[in-house]
């Protein structure tokens, strides 16, 4: 039987379209076709859509796959009544077409795989709940004579002299699902793993390198059997370190690795708050070690082994779910945690450990199912996580603040409404400068990283918080009205402060790269507000003369910042709102744009194109007030630009407009 073909994650994300040969449009029947080559590796034969129908030439029901690209036939295979078809992992169907010709269909969706599987079972008269339609007879010689209905696989007795034989047996069983099954059962029933680990101690004491190399291969092979029951033995308290020990002796490396030494001496378990439950403590140790095996000890699996470790991923996943659940139920533990976090007497190192623990706790919660995650964040919210974060964000320690920011990002991504409600309530008791959102804005503005990595993250969180798309509207109040009213009153001045401070003259007072990056980020958020906040931002821009200040940045030496300023103005003009238009005309706010256009000269670059596009928009949309304003005030400067027809077109619009007005007066 063939090895494991790749899982459907190999799919590109685009879905199939309709086309030649009546291909399916849905992704349900979208498949990749694989054939097994001489090296027992799977070759991808192409992506298409599968169907089953009667083929006259083959005199029977057949599987057809038509290529997505051109509708050509990738596969035409009669469903043979005696062929053993196997279904693996819900999305794979594998069979042998001839002596040495194995085929696999890897489905994008489980539903499609189930449909085709039912068709195959129908033809063979089988119940679709089976995973293999026929008893498999393996091709290998010794198995031809193996009675497949025999009770199980005979393992050699577990002795040092027979390690090579055991390693060969494990390796030869891996490609065949039936033999893997029998090997796994034999290992489970005979307590074999513990016996192997006893031999491991003997080999280490005798420094028997050959034996240790065989043990490495055996234990690695047992991992690839992908059986939870075996993992439970291997990861038990008394076996796990020996299993890691076996995996130190990789025959392909000249020197053994020191994984056990790292886990016992270097990796220290810190109990920031004492954990009273021994089962929980053991579960945390186990998860750390198994995660370490997955990430550091086992060799990176090839594409074909990837699926064989799916149970290992699940083992870690469910352990994390259990840990989060157990910690969540331990009220004393969480109460102590929050009390110490916010206590001023807690020393810095301890606080750092507490915050890091909370961050890791939140990261673990990402593995939970939605309803469990709801319960998790509700618990944290009831414990007062937001006021605690506020205290921590106000502290001097940069590392603690950074971890607190990460925790804040989990909360915002999970439930922005919960965060909004909290900040609106605290605004009634506190000054503006210690409000949670303002602390976040301050950290964004003061990010010392030259690439502004932290600021970019925080700006994303702010954007989520001010995005009306995820705001709720209940019967008695709308979150949008309340929250935006609060934000513009208490927070907007903090956000725009760096922008206003830097644009008091006719060019930016500070124009270094880091300042330019920060101002570009702020402008990005303001542009988002123009698009989504309507009257709140309009009042703010007109009352504070924000657009004039933003356009000062057109004189920046950093093209990206000048373009951000231009994009902000373009977004405003795009609204075609006469309030904005009157403000632009009254303050002559095309001046900086025309100046930047002329300074750019005849260079054909992004700045040139973006400015022309703005004027082109005014022309095409026939915004009369702006057309007249531009021609009356800037025609002299623009009349010589003849490599595009934009400005001449604007002039023509203007003249037609005047003509219509004159005619109206005559009438």
């Amino acid at each position: 039987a063939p090895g494991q073909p790749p899982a459907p994650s190999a799919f590109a994300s685009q879905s199939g379209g309709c086309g030649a040969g009546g291909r399916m449009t849905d992704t349900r029947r979208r498949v990749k076709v694989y054939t097994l080559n001489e090296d027992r590796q799977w070759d991808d034969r192409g992506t298409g859509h599968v169907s089953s129908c009667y083929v006259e030439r083959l005199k029977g029901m057949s599987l057809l796959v038509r290529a997505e690209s051109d509708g050509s036939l990738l596969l035409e295979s009669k469903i043979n009544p005696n062929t053993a078809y196997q279904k693996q992992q819900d999305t794979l169907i594998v069979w042998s077409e001839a002596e040495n010709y194995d085929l696999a269909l890897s489905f994008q969706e489980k539903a499609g795989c189930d449909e085709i599987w039912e068709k195959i079972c129908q033809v063979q008269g089988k119940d679709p709940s089976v995973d293999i339609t026929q008893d498999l007879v393996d091709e290998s010689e010794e198995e031809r004579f193996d009675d497949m209905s025999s009770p199980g696989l005979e393992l050699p007795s577990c002795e040092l002299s027979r390690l090579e034989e055991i390693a060969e047996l494990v390796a030869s069983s891996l490609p065949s699902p039936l033999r893997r099954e029998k090997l796994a059962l034999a290992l489970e029933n005979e307590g074999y793993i513990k016996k192997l680990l006893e031999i491991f101690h003997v080999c280490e004491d005798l420094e028997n390198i050959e034996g240790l190399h065989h043990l490495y291969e055996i234990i690695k092979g047992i991992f690839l059997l992908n059986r939870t029951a075996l993992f439970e033995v291997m990861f038990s308290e008394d076996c796990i370190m020996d299993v890691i020990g076996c995996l130190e002796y990789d025959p392909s490396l000249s020197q053994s690795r020191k994984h056990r030494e790292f886990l016992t001496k270097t990796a220290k378990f810190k109990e920031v708050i004492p954990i009273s439950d021994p089962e929980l403590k053991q579960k945390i140790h186990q998860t750390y070690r198994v995660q370490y095996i997955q990430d550091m000890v086992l060799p990176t699996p090839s594409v074909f082994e990837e699926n064989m470790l799916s149970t290992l991923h699940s083992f870690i996943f469910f352990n994390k779910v259990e840990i989060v659940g157990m910690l969540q139920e331990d009220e004393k533990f969480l109460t102590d945690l929050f009390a110490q976090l916010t206590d001023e007497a807690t020393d810095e190192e301890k606080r750092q450990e507490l915050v890091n623990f909370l961050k890791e706790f939140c990261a673990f919660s990402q593995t939970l199912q939605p309803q469990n995650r709801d319960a998790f964040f509700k618990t944290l919210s009831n414990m007062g996580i937001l006021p605690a974060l506020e205290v921590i964000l106000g502290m001097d320690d940069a590392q603690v603040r950074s971890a607190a920011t990460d925790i804040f990002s989990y909360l915002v991504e999970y439930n922005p409404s919960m965060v909004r409600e909290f900040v609106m309530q605290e605004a009634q008791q506190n000054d503006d400068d210690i409000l949670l959102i303002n602390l976040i804005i301050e950290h964004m503005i003061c990010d010392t990283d030259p690439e502004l990595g932290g600021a970019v993250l925080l700006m994303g969180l702010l954007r989520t918080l001010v995005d009306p798309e995820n705001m709720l509207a209940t019967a008695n109040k709308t979150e949008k009205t309340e929250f935006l009213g609060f934000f513009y009153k208490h927070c907007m001045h903090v956000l725009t402060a760096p922008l206003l401070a830097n644009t008091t003259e006719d060019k930016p007072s500070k124009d270094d790269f880091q300042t330019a990056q920060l101002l570009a980020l702020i402008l990005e958020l303001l542009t988002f507000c123009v698009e989504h906040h309507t009257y709140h931002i309009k009042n703010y821009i007109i009352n504070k003369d924000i657009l004039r200040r933003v356009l000062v940045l057109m004189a920046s030496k950093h093209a990206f910042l000048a373009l951000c300023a231009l994009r902000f103005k373009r977004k405003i003009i795009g609204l075609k709102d006469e309030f904005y238009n009157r403000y632009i005309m009254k303050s002559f706010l095309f001046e900086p744009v025309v100046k930047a256009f002329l300074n750019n000269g005849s260079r054909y670059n992004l700045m040139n194109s973006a400015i022309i596009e703005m004027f082109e928009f005014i022309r095409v949309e026939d915004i009369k007030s702006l057309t007249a304003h531009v021609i009356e005030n800037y025609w002299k400067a623009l009349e010589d630009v003849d490599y595009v027809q934009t400005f001449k077109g604007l002039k023509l619009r203007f003249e037609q407009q005047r003509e219509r007005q004159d005619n109206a007066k005559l009438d």
Side-chain angles (χ1 to χ4, degrees), residues 6-49:
S9 59
F11 276 109
S13 59
Q14 82 268 17
S15 62
C18 247
R23 284 178 286 149
M24 308 277 292
T25 48
D26 65 355
T27 53
R28 232 182 11 189
R29 293 282 188 91
R30 191 158 180 261
V31 291
K32 272 187 181 293
V33 179
Y34 289 96
T35 54
L36 199 66
N37 64 26
E38 281 139 21
D39 305 327
R40 309 293 290 166
Q41 300 286 328
W42 289 97
D43 291 335
D44 182 352
R45 292 289 176 213
T47 303
H49 288 84

Side-chain angles (χ1 to χ4, degrees), residues 17 52 65 77 111 135 184 197 220 235 242 272 276 281 313 316 325 342 349 372 392-393 451 487 526 528 558 617 662:
S52 63
V65 179
S77 165
D135 281 343
L197 296 177
K220 182 188 160 195
F235 300 152
D242 291 340
V272 285
S276 48
K281 209 180 281 192
H313 298 306
I316 294 169
T342 49
E349 195 179 329
N372 300 11
I392 301 163
L393 284 166
E451 295 298 317
F487 185 78
L526 289 178
F528 178 81
H558 298 285
F617 177 80
D662 291 348

Side-chain angles (χ1 to χ4, degrees), residues 555-604:
S556 166
K557 66 180 183 211
H558 298 285
F560 69 87
L561 180 58
L563 284 162
C564 272
L566 185 63
R567 193 162 32 237
F568 179 67
K569 177 168 183 175
R570 172 67 180 80
K571 187 65 80 181
I572 289 173
I573 289 176
L575 297 174
K576 299 195 287 194
D577 179 321
E578 279 304 309
F579 267 108
Y580 275 131
N581 292 350
R582 282 202 291 277
Y583 160 58
I584 288 170
M585 294 184 298
K586 185 169 160 239
S587 303
F588 291 94
L589 293 180
F590 275 102
E591 189 125 337
V593 177
V594 173
K595 201 182 266 181
F597 183 63
L598 297 174
N599 286 345
N600 190 58
S602 57
R603 280 177 297 174
Y604 176 44

